Amino acid sequence: MEGAGENAPESSSSVPGSDESARDPQALPLEEESGDCARSLEAKKLCGYLSKFGGKGPIRSWKSRWFFYDERKCQLYYSRTAQDANPLDSIDLSSAVFDCKADAEEGIFEIKTPSRVMTLKAATKQVMLYWLQQLQMKRWEFHNSPPAPPAAPDAALAGNGPALHLELGQEEAELEEFLCPVKTPPGLVGVAAALQPFPALQNISLKHLGTEIQNTMHNIRGNKQAQATGHEPPGEDSPQSGEPQREEQPLASDPTTPGREPEDSPKPGPKSSLTISFVQKAKRQNNTFPFFSEGITWNRTAQEKVAALEQQVLMLTKELKSQKELVKILHKALEAAQQEKRASFAYLAAAEDKDRLELVRHKVRQIAELGRRVEALEQERESLAHTASLREQEVQELQQHVQLLMDKNHAKQQVICKLSEKVTQDFTHPPDQSPLPPDAADRDFLSQQEKIEHLKDDMEAYRTQNRFLNSEIHQVTKIWRKVAEKEKALLTKCAYLQARNCQVESKYLAGLRRLQEALGDETSECSELLRQLVQEALQWEAGEASSDSIELNPISKYDEYGFLTVPDYEVEDLKLLAKIQALEVRSHHLLGLEAVDRPLRERWAALGELVPSAELKQLLRAGVPREHRPRVWRWLVHLRVQHLHTPGCYQELLSRGRAREHPAARQIELDLNRTFPNNKHFTCPTSSFPDKLRRVLLAFSWQNPTIGYCQGLNRLAAIALLVLEEEESAFWCLVAIVETIMPTDYYSNTLTASQVDQRVLQDLLSEKLPRLMAHLGQHHVDLSLITFNWFLVVFADSLISNILLRVWDAFLYEGTKVVFRYALAVFKYNEKEILRLHNGLEIYQYLRFFTKTISNSRKLMNIAFNDMNPFRMKQLQQLRMVHRERLEAELRELEQLKAEYMERRTSQRRAMSEGCASEDEVEGEA
């Protein structure tokens, strides 16, 4: 710890309130080069005696303690005396705040840490303010400069010194705006404070009795050793070892120092012996507390030597000042002599007498001009002296006038006091009581003056407290901002590492799944080991949740909209697949958190009022942040249904439903329990969402009687409820989808438009993904069995919620073209996996859940809006028109066949009934 105390002068020299900043700048080089180690130690170290309020119950009292600040750890240690080797306890200043109260006793201040509050008391108010300012600067220095490596402290200081000085200088200037720097109180702080008398034994700490005993034994042992060897205590002129002498020798005297003889360098002066004593005891005790290891017994001889050296420094400083003044005078004389020399040289260098005569004339003219200037200045001086005498006379007259007025005022005050006394005696004292003494008014006046002085002192105390608290708030705020920036950087790093961990874990699980598929139903040691590994992998999440480790973004059971993060499959293979999917989703989310999501949130926050534009289109395709999604969806829905919306319409539909039951009410009630079984908002018995969904569907069935209710509308309304949370907003969102976005007859009894879109999708797949369609056609796979529900509920049952809501963001603005884009993108995303399958049954099984394996929303969006281009709405409309005509022709042909079949059945039944009637007649005749 010697290096810390000796290599830190630069950081502590800029602290407000230190003596270094208040000294004469001309005296600094002399003091720095004189090797005054005792004064440098005193300036570097923040230490001194303070009273600490402590104890328990009735024995709480003030106890004097020696406090010392450790720069490396930002700890404030304290012990009973400065000579104790081991501290009693420490205070962590890195997270502490400081406070002083104006109404408290003078010198009392508090250090508040998250774990406790320390109440301390300084000898004077100046000492208190000095400690508070120094502690503030030490805390700021600790938060702004990383700790120097112990192996090379000089190099670290050399590298970080300029930046540290700059930051500390800025902080010092900012703090000076709040509270002026406090000068170092002489003899009350620093190493010199150790010369104060030791605290009495009643200040012993009962809480740290073991440490007190160790310190006492250590001091006794040191005294005995000093007496046995016949030497003075460590720190005197007779050091105990030569090694510290060699280490500290350069500090005592530098041969290159101006004003000293080189042969003086080997002699260890009293100042160097003082520093040597600190180093000797530090190496002998080998502890980590800088000042307690350097604490020594100061004797009278050392004090006298230090005082003599201080006196010598003052004398040398005065001598230096006088020498500088003499140098200035000599410099002026030298300039005059040089001017005279130049004039004489010009006179001698003249070639002819004519030139010399001209130089003499020039000098005569200069002398005459200077004489005139002297006369003018003399006249001006005389006028100014005359004016000054007149001003003095006026001032004397004014002073006499003021004195006269004051005498008159005093006389009037005496008269007023006498009259007041007389009136007071007449009204307050009966005739049988003695009157007030004649000096009562003076006493009242003095008491009022004392009160005013007390109030002034209180105002000054509150002003000082306010300035200090402002500086404390300012510095703590800056420290908090720096800590927040560091925390943000660490969280970003943790997010990246966790994302990589999720990717590795998902690859491991995917490898287990491939091995499981390759082994099949074989019963061997490998398959048994594989099943065991799969079971352990599925149980990782439960084990992590029960551990004490803290995760940045743990995989929660439900996402922000209530959907299960990991689907609850019963089949073991699908459980492993669900876990892989959850890990991949989490890794993509963590990796895109800073790079994509944060800039996107900033763009949405700066967007302002929503207006249809190309920028809004791109933002909607990228996805709306959750905090903006309800507002954006309401605006998009209003844009669609503003011609249909009427105030009070929803409440009127609800009242109509309460008046009589709708025919579709029974089917709505059945579908409520089947709506999103993987969402907690629709499965929890106490949730209000099922009731809201019921009212929204019933209101729509009254709003659109041609459709009434169709299976699939419950999922559309449920998504709207989860995002918008208001029934009426969800109702109008459902109206916008069914009546304005989707084509007519999309949800009718025949589902004509839905069937048309399935045929259009087949054509687009053949155009965009011909290889995939050929593979599916080879195995006779009908995609409409899978994709029909995608279009009917806009992927509500297919994609995970994170991707689903991004699809809806663009769908509500651009319409059904977005559904086609994402349907093509889903097949493109999984094209390689599908092409690996060569069995129709396996393909159907994979297509049943393959949309849930999509985890990278950015990749899917890029495929949908970039890889699928060109994708023109005109082409989509033409394909719909062609397939609608074909479908309607097929439906007409089907209706015709149905009618013919019904006619044949009717004629057959009529013929059969006629035959039965004739048989009955024959039997009757018989």
Side-chain angles (χ1 to χ4, degrees):
M1 299 303 292
E2 298 164 11
E6 294 167 9
N7 294 328
E10 295 180 5
S11 60
S12 61
S13 63
S14 61
V15 178
S18 64
D19 283 341
E20 302 297 332
S21 61
R23 294 178 183 170
D24 186 4
Q26 297 176 358
L28 282 175
L30 177 63
E31 293 182 4
E32 291 175 357
E33 295 171 356
S34 64
D36 192 352
C37 301
R39 295 181 64 84
S40 63
L41 281 174
E42 180 179 358
K44 295 170 190 174
K45 296 187 178 300
L46 177 60
C47 54
Y49 279 107
L50 293 172
S51 296
K52 174 181 170 293
F53 189 72
K56 293 185 178 180
I59 61 173
R60 289 175 65 85
S61 62
W62 293 101
K63 293 185 179 182
S64 180
R65 294 287 182 261
W66 175 261
F67 284 83
F68 177 80
Y69 175 73
D70 185 0
E71 294 180 353
R72 292 188 178 183
K73 300 179 181 179
C74 197
Q75 297 276 344
L76 187 66
Y77 296 96
Y78 62 89
S79 63
R80 187 169 61 87
T81 67
Q83 289 72 35
D84 290 345
N86 300 317
L88 298 177
D89 202 351
S90 64
I91 306 171
D92 184 12
L93 299 183
S94 61
S95 58
V97 294
F98 314 113
D99 187 18
C100 66
K101 294 182 172 57
D103 54 354
E105 189 178 347
E106 183 179 359
I108 293 180
F109 62 98
E110 292 180 347
I111 301 178
K112 300 180 179 180
T113 64
S115 59
R116 57 177 174 170
V117 177
M118 299 286 290
T119 304
L120 306 177
K121 181 179 179 181
T124 62
K125 180 181 178 182
Q126 183 187 7
V127 177
M128 177 193 73
L129 293 177
Y130 176 81
W131 271 96
L132 288 173
Q133 281 193 340
Q134 292 294 315
L135 291 174
Q136 278 186 334
M137 292 305 300
K138 297 295 184 184
R139 180 185 60 189
W140 178 255
E141 179 182 349
F142 177 78
H143 281 283
N144 277 272
S145 59
D154 294 332
L157 284 173
N160 298 330
L164 180 60
H165 276 301
L166 180 60
E167 292 183 355
L168 288 176
Q170 294 176 353
E171 181 64 16
E172 177 182 355
E174 292 176 355
L175 290 180
E176 286 181 5
E177 298 178 1
F178 301 102
L179 192 64
C180 296
V182 181
K183 293 184 179 181
T184 307
L188 295 177
V189 294
V191 178
L195 300 175
Q196 297 180 6
F198 293 168
L201 287 176
Q202 60 264 26
N203 281 331
I204 193 168
S205 176
L206 298 177
K207 182 179 179 181
H208 309 89
L209 191 58
T211 305
E212 291 279 14
I213 294 173
Q214 290 178 6
N215 291 331
T216 304
M217 296 301 295
H218 182 275
N219 293 332
I220 293 173
R221 192 183 304 113
N223 293 334
K224 286 183 178 180
Q225 290 177 358
Q227 293 174 4
T229 55
H231 291 84
E232 297 180 357
E236 297 302 321
D237 296 335
S238 302
Q240 293 180 1
S241 64
E243 184 181 355
Q245 230 175 351
R246 290 193 300 271
E247 289 183 1
E248 298 294 331
Q249 193 67 32
L251 292 175
S253 176
D254 188 12
T256 62
T257 303
R260 291 182 178 243
E261 295 295 330
E263 57 268 15
D264 295 340
S265 59
K267 300 178 182 179
K271 299 176 185 179
S272 63
S273 66
L274 176 64
T275 305
I276 290 169
S277 66
F278 281 95
V279 181
Q280 286 174 344
K281 190 161 186 179
K283 292 188 176 182
R284 185 173 66 253
Q285 292 175 359
N286 193 22
N287 56 47
T288 59
F289 305 99
F291 182 77
F292 303 112
S293 63
E294 296 173 356
I296 63 169
T297 305
W298 293 67
N299 58 14
R300 187 172 300 173
T301 305
Q303 297 179 26
E304 292 175 356
K305 291 180 179 180
V306 171
L309 289 173
E310 289 179 352
Q311 187 67 26
Q312 184 182 359
V313 169
L314 292 176
M315 292 174 62
L316 290 174
T317 303
K318 292 180 181 179
E319 184 180 355
L320 178 65
K321 288 183 179 179
S322 62
Q323 293 292 338
K324 286 188 175 181
E325 292 177 358
L326 180 60
V327 168
K328 289 181 180 178
I329 295 172
L330 292 175
H331 184 68
K332 291 181 180 179
L334 180 63
E335 287 182 353
Q338 287 178 351
Q339 290 179 359
E340 185 177 356
K341 180 181 179 181
R342 285 194 295 269
S344 299
F345 181 76
Y347 180 79
L348 295 174
E352 300 179 356
D353 294 339
K354 183 179 179 180
D355 296 334
R356 294 180 179 177
L357 183 62
E358 184 63 28
L359 288 173
V360 171
R361 289 176 181 174
H362 179 67
K363 289 296 181 182
V364 170
R365 286 195 297 270
Q366 285 185 347
I367 292 170
E369 180 66 24
L370 290 174
R372 285 193 297 271
R373 289 177 61 184
V374 168
E375 292 177 359
L377 291 173
E378 185 66 26
Q379 292 176 1
E380 186 178 357
R381 187 187 65 79
E382 291 177 356
S383 63
L384 290 174
H386 180 67
T387 305
S389 62
L390 293 178
R391 296 296 183 191
E392 287 180 358
Q393 293 177 2
E394 292 178 1
V395 168
Q396 290 177 358
E397 291 176 359
L398 290 174
Q399 288 179 349
Q400 292 175 0
H401 184 64
V402 169
Q403 185 64 34
L404 181 61
L405 292 176
M406 290 177 66
D407 294 339
K408 288 182 180 180
N409 188 24
H410 184 65
K412 290 180 180 179
Q413 287 181 355
Q414 289 180 350
V415 172
I416 291 171
C417 290
K418 290 180 180 179
L419 291 175
S420 301
E421 291 175 4
K422 186 177 180 181
V423 171
T424 305
Q425 290 175 3
D426 293 342
F427 283 96
T428 63
H429 296 283
D432 56 346
Q433 294 183 358
S434 61
L436 287 173
D439 58 344
D442 294 336
R443 287 200 302 269
D444 293 341
F445 180 74
L446 292 175
S447 65
Q448 293 295 330
Q449 290 292 333
E450 290 178 358
K451 290 182 180 178
I452 291 173
E453 292 298 327
H454 287 315
L455 289 174
K456 288 182 179 179
D457 293 341
D458 293 342
M459 288 177 60
E460 184 63 27
Y462 280 114
R463 192 176 290 113
T464 304
Q465 179 193 11
N466 187 34
R467 288 197 294 265
F468 168 74
L469 291 178
N470 286 337
S471 67
E472 179 71 7
I473 292 170
H474 170 74
Q475 193 181 83
V476 169
T477 303
K478 293 183 69 175
I479 291 175
W480 176 82
R481 288 175 180 170
K482 284 186 172 292
V483 171
E485 290 175 0
K486 292 179 181 177
E487 182 183 5
K488 179 182 175 182
L490 289 175
L491 288 175
T492 304
K493 186 176 180 180
C494 289
Y496 175 78
L497 293 176
Q498 285 197 355
R500 292 302 181 192
N501 180 54
C502 289
Q503 290 180 350
V504 172
E505 190 177 343
S506 65
K507 290 179 181 178
Y508 170 72
L509 295 178
L512 290 180
R513 183 169 175 268
R514 293 275 180 86
L515 287 174
Q516 196 175 32
E517 292 176 353
L519 291 175
D521 297 332
E522 295 180 7
T523 57
S524 62
E525 293 182 1
C526 293
S527 60
E528 185 64 28
L529 177 61
L530 182 61
R531 279 193 292 269
Q532 185 178 354
L533 291 174
V534 171
Q535 290 294 333
E536 291 176 357
L538 293 175
Q539 293 174 1
W540 277 345
E541 186 179 357
E544 291 173 0
S546 61
S547 64
D548 296 332
S549 61
I550 300 175
E551 288 192 55
L552 178 67
N553 288 310
I555 302 179
S556 59
K557 188 175 182 181
Y558 297 96
D559 65 7
E560 53 191 5
Y561 288 100
F563 289 97
L564 278 171
T565 307
V566 181
D568 189 13
Y569 295 126
E570 295 181 359
V571 182
E572 201 72 27
D573 189 28
L574 296 182
K575 285 185 177 181
L576 188 61
L577 187 64
K579 184 69 181 292
I580 295 171
Q581 173 206 345
L583 289 169
E584 290 180 352
V585 170
R586 184 183 174 203
S587 66
H588 289 305
H589 171 70
L590 291 173
L591 289 175
L593 194 62
E594 291 292 328
V596 180
D597 292 349
R598 191 177 299 277
L600 184 63
R601 284 192 176 89
E602 292 175 356
R603 289 183 64 186
W604 274 106
L607 188 60
E609 186 179 357
L610 298 176
V611 178
S613 62
E615 181 186 6
L616 179 64
K617 183 178 180 180
Q618 295 300 322
L619 286 175
L620 288 170
R621 287 182 173 183
V624 184
R626 188 191 177 191
E627 58 269 21
H628 299 287
R629 184 167 281 139
R631 175 178 66 91
V632 174
W633 279 28
R634 289 189 185 94
W635 179 80
L636 293 172
V637 169
H638 177 72
L639 204 65
R640 295 280 185 179
V641 300
Q642 54 186 345
H643 63 286
L644 300 174
H645 188 277
T646 55
C649 176
Y650 180 69
Q651 298 299 329
E652 181 183 350
L653 294 172
L654 289 181
S655 59
R656 189 186 305 177
R658 286 191 293 267
R660 62 192 182 96
E661 184 177 358
H662 194 277
R666 180 182 178 86
Q667 186 61 41
I668 290 174
E669 201 66 31
L670 292 174
D671 287 348
L672 284 178
N673 297 325
R674 295 186 291 214
T675 303
F676 292 139
N678 61 339
N679 190 290
K680 65 179 181 180
H681 295 300
F682 293 99
T683 56
C684 180
T686 59
S687 176
S688 61
F689 276 82
D691 295 331
K692 292 181 180 179
L693 181 60
R694 180 187 297 108
R695 289 190 290 269
V696 169
L697 294 176
L698 286 173
F700 180 81
S701 63
W702 289 106
Q703 158 76 14
N704 194 330
T706 57
I707 296 176
Y709 174 75
C710 173
Q711 286 186 346
L713 298 182
N714 58 327
R715 292 171 176 79
L716 298 176
I719 293 294
L721 267 176
L722 289 173
V723 175
L724 300 172
E725 296 183 356
E726 297 177 0
E727 291 182 34
E728 187 169 358
S729 299
F731 165 77
W732 287 112
C733 181
L734 183 61
V735 172
I737 294 172
V738 176
E739 299 186 8
T740 65
I741 298 178
M742 291 299 191
T744 311
D745 298 336
Y746 216 85
Y747 299 96
S748 63
N749 294 332
T750 58
L751 300 175
T752 304
S754 300
Q755 297 182 55
V756 169
D757 279 355
Q758 295 305 305
R759 300 188 179 190
V760 172
L761 178 63
Q762 299 280 343
D763 290 352
L764 293 175
L765 282 170
S766 300
E767 176 186 349
K768 305 290 184 182
L769 303 172
R771 185 183 175 191
L772 177 65
M773 284 303 294
H775 179 73
L776 295 175
Q778 181 182 357
H779 296 284
H780 308 287
V781 176
D782 185 5
L783 287 181
S784 62
L785 299 176
I786 306 298
T787 59
F788 189 85
N789 194 52
W790 294 1
F791 284 73
L792 199 65
V793 298
V794 195
F795 296 101
D797 282 332
S798 306
L799 299 174
I800 60 175
S801 61
N802 181 37
I803 301 176
L804 169 67
L805 295 174
R806 293 173 186 261
V807 174
W808 276 56
D809 293 335
F811 165 72
L812 291 175
Y813 185 72
E814 299 184 51
T816 54
K817 186 170 69 170
V818 172
V819 184
F820 282 98
R821 282 184 175 273
Y822 272 100
L824 295 172
V826 166
F827 283 106
K828 178 66 176 178
Y829 191 99
N830 295 276
E831 183 179 14
K832 294 181 181 179
E833 294 292 333
I834 298 174
L835 292 175
R836 287 196 188 100
L837 303 175
H838 298 283
N839 183 279
L841 182 59
E842 291 181 355
I843 293 176
Y844 274 117
Q845 288 179 348
Y846 179 74
L847 294 179
R848 187 165 53 89
F849 63 85
F850 82 114
T851 54
K852 295 289 187 179
T853 63
I854 299 175
S855 57
N856 193 340
S857 60
R858 297 294 164 189
K859 178 181 177 182
L860 185 67
M861 181 196 72
N862 186 60
I863 294 173
F865 295 106
N866 293 325
D867 296 354
M868 292 298 109
N869 287 334
F871 196 92
R872 300 178 182 85
M873 190 64 187
K874 184 177 181 181
Q875 178 190 7
L876 182 62
Q877 292 174 349
Q878 291 176 350
L879 290 174
R880 277 178 167 172
M881 188 181 302
V882 170
H883 285 290
R884 189 177 186 89
E885 292 176 355
R886 293 178 182 175
L887 181 61
E888 288 177 350
E890 293 176 0
L891 290 176
R892 285 195 299 270
E893 183 179 355
L894 184 61
E895 288 294 332
Q896 184 177 359
L897 292 175
K898 183 179 177 181
E900 293 176 356
Y901 172 75
M902 293 302 296
E903 288 179 1
R904 287 198 304 271
R905 287 292 302 273
T906 305
S907 60
Q908 289 175 0
R909 289 179 179 177
R910 188 180 301 114
M912 288 178 62
S913 60
E914 290 177 356
C916 291
S918 60
E919 289 179 358
D920 291 339
E921 291 178 359
V922 172
E923 289 179 357
E925 291 178 356

